[in-house]
Amino acid sequence: MGRLTIPDKLIELVREADSITVLTGAGVSAESGIPTFRDPKNGLFTNVNIEDLATPQGFRKDPKKVWEWYQMRREKVKLAKPNPGHLALVEMENRVRDFTLITQNVDGLHRIAGNKKIIELHGNIMKNKCFDCNQAVEEYESRGSIPPQCPYCGGLIRPAVVWFGEMLDEADIAEAESATRRCKIFFSIGTSSVVYPAAGLITIARHSGATVVEVNPNETPHSRYVDYVFRYPAGVFLPELVKAVWGT
Ligand code: OAD
């Protein structure tokens, strides 16, 4: 990792932009100690079968295994704190009139950091809902059953996250697309950009004329099409950007 320089042109564009949209992925939380999904060594999806853990079929086949995998992840999330990358995005929201943060992360760290306008495209790992009746379930008695049972219909409780093969919330995706279409600058930060429809927002941003900036230590399928690429951790790049633009 060489010395980080941010082109003056980009600093000026960010300073003048009255509309900025940011898409984040697991990489933003990596520096808070939460593993990413596709890290070749320590990823949550390394050495496991995604179908078994993150699909409705997997839950139907072995609900206990899926529930326990999510409980393990919840324990990690509970210990995690926002890092300088998260905090820089709060500063950005405070400075920009029309700011939208679209996240694929389910860890809730952006909200804990202090961002307000957040679209949690893939849900929130701390929330639950019923696999059968789909009701949000806030409180339940586990009575020894794993997963616990729905207090309304007796079905199985599952985390309120989006699994492969499931639809995103329609209102969320509509709002995310609208924020992407109207922004002057679009940041894609810490995402491998291989999961759709989230990754498609990067293409929408480009086609809508936004300046598109990727922040990721590694290449993604979108890298070659964007306007600026910074091969840095989010917790390094974002505080530097905020300092360069607003002097804080
Ligand atoms: P991935 O694990 O696919 O990608 C994480 C990205 O973060 C990689 O491209 C890394 O290079 C990058 N990265 C690692 N450390 C970083 C750092 N400190 N700063 C910036 N970038 C860093 O995670 P996502 O792209 O979020 O969906 O995965 C997308 C979706 O796939 C997830 O939301 C999840 C998963 O299936 C659901 O659960 C529905």
Side-chain angles (χ1 to χ4, degrees):
M1 197 164 62
R3 195 172 156 272
L4 169 60
T5 35
I6 304 175
D8 288 343
K9 170 126 190 278
L10 180 62
I11 295 172
E12 205 48 41
L13 280 171
V14 175
R15 192 176 290 135
E16 281 169 10
D18 59 354
S19 177
I20 294 184
T21 295
V22 176
L23 170 69
T24 64
V28 166
S29 294
E31 290 155 271
S32 293
I34 300 177
T36 64
F37 293 94
R38 295 177 180 79
D39 183 90
K41 274 196 241 121
N42 306 311
L44 287 164
F45 287 164
T46 315
N47 303 323
V48 302
N49 190 349
I50 300 180
E51 314 289 303
D52 288 345
L53 296 167
T55 64
Q57 304 86 282
F59 187 75
R60 227 171 259 129
K61 196 167 98 192
D62 194 342
K64 181 166 182 282
K65 177 174 170 179
V66 174
W67 180 260
E68 285 175 344
W69 189 67
Y70 277 91
Q71 291 297 81
M72 174 277 286
R73 288 180 53 195
R74 285 171 170 167
E75 291 311 313
K76 283 194 205 275
V77 166
K78 275 191 219 153
L79 295 174
K81 292 193 182 58
N83 66 58
H86 292 107
L87 298 176
L89 291 174
V90 179
E91 187 63 30
M92 198 183 270
E93 177 162 10
N94 290 339
R95 301 283 186 160
V96 178
R97 182 188 59 80
D98 174 25
F99 178 88
T100 306
L101 178 48
I102 305 164
T103 188
Q104 299 166 85
N105 299 346
V106 295
D107 56 35
L109 284 180
H110 286 303
R111 200 169 295 283
I112 294 172
N115 277 107
K116 299 274 184 304
K117 181 103 186 283
I118 307 170
I119 302 171
E120 286 180 320
L121 272 190
H122 293 166
N124 189 306
I125 196 170
M126 290 309 187
K127 296 187 182 157
N128 290 297
K129 62 181 182 181
C130 177
F131 187 66
D132 294 322
C133 73
N134 210 35
Q135 278 254 34
V137 179
E138 277 175 31
E139 303 271 335
Y140 57 81
E141 280 179 65
S142 91
R143 294 209 195 102
S145 74
I146 305 174
Q149 285 179 330
C150 172
Y152 308 109
C153 77
L156 295 179
I157 295 181
R158 56 165 283 185
V161 299
V162 178
W163 282 332
F164 287 102
E166 294 183 318
M167 303 291 281
L168 304 194
D169 182 272
E170 259 179 55
D172 280 354
I173 192 71
E175 205 183 329
E177 285 181 4
S178 155
T180 300
R181 282 209 182 84
R182 68 175 184 265
C183 70
K184 299 264 169 42
I185 307 185
F186 183 92
F187 287 92
S188 164
I189 308 172
T191 175
S192 58
S193 315
V194 294
V195 174
Y196 285 76
L201 295 170
I202 304 167
T203 312
I204 293 178
R206 280 179 36 235
H207 291 168
S208 311
T211 297
V212 179
V213 184
E214 177 180 278
V215 183
N216 194 317
N218 299 298
E219 194 171 350
T220 79
H222 293 261
S223 300
R224 52 196 289 225
Y225 303 108
V226 304
D227 299 293
Y228 295 91
V229 171
F230 295 95
R231 296 263 169 261
Y232 288 87
V236 172
F237 173 79
L238 289 169
E240 280 300 316
L241 176 74
V242 162
K243 198 161 89 192
V245 175
W246 294 293
T248 50

